[in-house]
């Protein structure tokens, strides 16, 4: 049986600057709102980093929108 080594990192990964495999476009919806579209290349050698960056940016946008709508970043109304 082979030995299994599990390592825990105390520092989480954060998306830094935009990777080269990510393309960003600002488009206007039918209702006139501006939205940002981020696309990644599935065959990119840095797919993991690209995906992490796009996912992190999407979570940031969702938390910001929830904060605006509900007063709390997790979507649950803040207790008063």
């Amino acid at each position: 049986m082979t030995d299994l080594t599990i390592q825990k990192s105390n520092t989480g990964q954060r998306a830094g600057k935009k990777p080269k495999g990510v393309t960003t476009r600002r488009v206007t919806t039918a209702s006139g709102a501006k939205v940002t579209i981020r696309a990644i290349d599935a065959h990119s050698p840095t797919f993991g980093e690209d995906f992490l960056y796009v996912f992190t940016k999407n979570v940031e946008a969702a938390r910001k929108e929830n904060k605006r709508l509900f007063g709390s970043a997790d979507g649950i109304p803040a207790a008063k």
Side-chain angles (χ1 to χ4, degrees):
M1 180 174 208
T2 60
D3 291 332
L4 179 65
T5 304
I6 299 174
Q7 296 179 346
K8 180 182 174 191
S9 174
N10 291 333
T11 58
Q13 285 186 318
R14 294 204 172 206
K17 65 180 184 172
K18 183 174 78 79
K20 293 183 187 217
V22 176
T23 57
T24 304
R25 295 188 185 176
R26 297 273 298 165
V27 296
T28 305
T29 63
S31 62
K34 300 262 187 188
V35 293
T36 301
I37 304 294
R38 291 180 187 88
I40 55 176
D41 178 16
H43 301 293
S44 170
T46 59
F47 178 79
E49 293 171 18
D50 300 346
F51 189 79
L52 175 64
Y53 175 81
V54 171
F55 178 79
T56 303
K57 291 299 181 182
N58 287 338
V59 169
E60 285 177 10
R63 292 178 64 85
K64 183 177 178 181
E65 181 68 9
N66 284 343
K67 180 88 172 183
R68 186 183 69 80
L69 292 174
F70 305 113
S72 174
D74 59 4
I76 301 170
K80 293 183 179 183

